[in-house]
Amino acid sequence: MEKGDSREAALRLCELAKGQEQGGALEEALSLYREALALLPQDLPDELAGEVTRWLGTVMRQLGRIQDAEELFRKSLEIAEAVQSTEGQAHAMNCLAIVAHTRGELEEASTLYQRAARLAAQAEAHRLLGMLEQNLGVLSNVRGDLDGALVRYRASLRAFEEAADDQGVSWVLNNMGMLETDLGHHKKAEELFGRGLAIATARGDLQMEGLFHLNLAEALNAQGHWDDADAACNRAIWIAEERGDPVRRADALKQKAVVERNRGQLMEAEAHLKEALGVARECQEKLLSAEVLREMGELWRVRDQPEKAGKAWRKALEGFNHLGALLDAEAVGSLLASLEKGVA
């Protein structure tokens, strides 16, 4: 096959892979990206090979294979540097920042996001800038800087709307909904998740559809709408299973356990929380691990087992403090203080 033909074939495979990824067929996407990469030069730096390597890493990350993903992102960065692709470097740094964020290495994530943003601005990569503003907003949200997060999200939303990028708009609507959830504005969060869900469903974006159902379940739970919350959880679990996404399935199981706890189905809630915690730890999802431990503590409190509740909450508090998740740490600290006062 001629060089030009090989590149065209690789590009066609990548388009097929992106369609499979959006539709939730992650293993199929993985296979197609690998096939595309095999058609590209291996003995010298190639910009397209760097991009395909990064896309391959993103699928690995969604499958919970964090170490493999990180290695691919670093290789992508090396290729981008070798071919002097400023935008390619920014994309790779953004992906590495997401890995650091997942592991709870927030300072490293912040540094990488900001370096990536400077490179994206230099390359006039407006869509990527919108993604980075959003990721920096998520980081601010985790740290308890809700005003800073809102500023970042609004800037990101403007960038995506100006680019007529519905996918990007759906990302920001999801994060703005989570911010409203943190603020206790659950009805407003429900409205934002509903808008985003409509976009994701219309696009056939199964990944985002699952995420919206998951976060919608939390907003519905907070309002006492158990049946609707349970239905949203079940849909999120089904989508995660279809996509082979263990992390999102664990997250959905955590939320389903909250519904079950509120309904008095305590044995079912315990089983789902234990399963979710195992997956979160295996996939190095530090924030999710702390969140599951927080819900475990609440379950033990409901069961009138204060010692177990305290142990779970202390582990959750340690996790949130390590992550710099100030609002979550404050909330768990209050739960512990209340528990210890009651025991005394």
Side-chain angles (χ1 to χ4, degrees):
M1 188 182 293
E2 295 292 330
K3 181 178 178 181
D5 293 339
S6 295
R7 294 183 74 80
E8 286 299 318
L11 285 169
R12 287 195 296 272
L13 287 168
C14 287
E15 287 303 311
L16 289 171
K18 289 176 184 177
Q20 294 290 337
E21 186 179 352
Q22 181 174 307
L26 296 183
E27 292 292 348
E28 289 82 349
L30 205 63
S31 178
L32 287 164
Y33 281 134
R34 283 173 170 156
E35 191 177 342
L37 193 59
L39 293 173
L40 298 170
Q42 306 295 312
D43 55 344
L44 74 164
D46 181 90
E47 186 171 1
L48 179 57
E51 291 182 340
V52 179
T53 299
R54 187 181 72 246
W55 297 334
L56 189 59
T58 296
V59 177
M60 290 287 194
R61 180 176 58 79
Q62 292 178 68
L63 288 166
R65 296 165 61 177
I66 301 299
Q67 189 65 43
D68 291 335
E70 182 180 20
E71 290 175 6
L72 288 164
F73 294 148
R74 292 197 184 283
K75 184 176 180 181
S76 176
L77 179 58
E78 289 174 5
I79 294 172
E81 289 172 341
V83 300
Q84 299 183 331
S85 170
T86 303
E87 184 173 350
Q89 291 175 59
H91 272 293
M93 284 182 187
N94 178 48
C95 291
L96 285 167
I98 292 171
V99 170
H101 194 161
T102 295
R103 289 175 170 161
E105 299 162 358
L106 300 194
E107 288 303 321
E108 176 71 7
S110 179
T111 298
L112 285 166
Y113 282 140
Q114 292 181 54
R115 286 175 61 193
R118 288 194 293 271
L119 289 170
Q122 183 181 333
E124 298 184 353
H126 301 297
R127 185 175 189 270
L128 178 55
L129 269 175
M131 293 167 61
L132 287 159
E133 285 287 352
Q134 177 185 222
N135 290 342
L136 283 163
V138 173
L139 205 58
S140 296
N141 201 349
V142 168
R143 287 170 160 169
D145 179 11
L146 302 188
D147 290 336
L150 187 58
V151 169
R152 294 285 190 182
Y153 291 154
R154 285 173 174 167
S156 179
L157 187 60
R158 283 195 301 272
F160 286 130
E161 286 178 339
E162 287 170 3
D165 187 333
D166 285 345
Q167 183 183 37
V169 168
S170 73
W171 295 339
V172 184
L173 288 172
N174 181 61
N175 285 315
M176 291 181 79
M178 289 194 291
L179 176 59
E180 295 293 349
T181 297
D182 288 341
L183 291 168
H185 304 158
H186 301 297
K187 190 63 181 176
K188 177 63 175 176
E190 184 182 346
E191 292 170 2
L192 289 164
F193 293 141
R195 284 174 56 194
L197 180 57
I199 293 173
T201 302
R203 294 186 66 256
D205 189 339
L206 205 61
Q207 179 185 7
M208 284 306 300
E209 184 187 341
L211 198 54
F212 278 117
H213 278 294
L214 173 60
N215 292 325
L216 181 60
E218 183 174 358
L220 292 166
N221 254 329
Q223 297 175 77
H225 301 159
W226 315 132
D227 290 345
D228 291 339
D230 192 42
C233 286
N234 289 337
R235 179 63 178 170
I237 291 168
W238 181 86
I239 289 172
E241 290 173 347
E242 281 290 297
R243 300 186 71 250
D245 187 339
V247 174
R248 292 287 73 82
R249 182 175 183 276
D251 208 349
L253 286 175
K254 176 203 72 179
Q255 198 56 240
K256 186 173 179 66
V258 175
V259 176
E260 291 165 338
R261 185 189 68 219
N262 289 328
R263 284 174 159 172
Q265 299 168 316
L266 304 187
M267 291 182 64
E268 293 88 340
E270 181 183 351
H272 285 144
L273 288 173
K274 286 181 176 178
E275 183 180 350
L277 184 60
V279 173
R281 286 174 169 168
E282 182 181 348
C283 295
Q284 302 179 50
E285 288 279 341
K286 300 290 182 65
L287 181 58
L288 179 56
S289 294
E291 290 172 346
V292 175
L293 285 165
R294 178 184 59 203
E295 299 304 336
M296 277 187 161
E298 182 61 24
L299 177 63
W300 295 125
R301 186 196 66 79
V302 169
R303 282 183 155 179
D304 197 25
Q305 295 181 272
E307 289 186 5
K308 286 188 174 182
K311 183 178 180 181
W313 280 338
R314 279 188 287 273
K315 287 183 179 178
L317 182 59
E318 180 182 345
F320 287 133
N321 280 330
H322 173 74
L323 291 165
L326 302 182
L327 291 179
D328 288 311
E330 182 180 340
V332 174
S334 296
L335 290 170
L336 272 169
S338 176
L339 181 69
E340 289 165 2
K341 183 178 178 181
V343 171

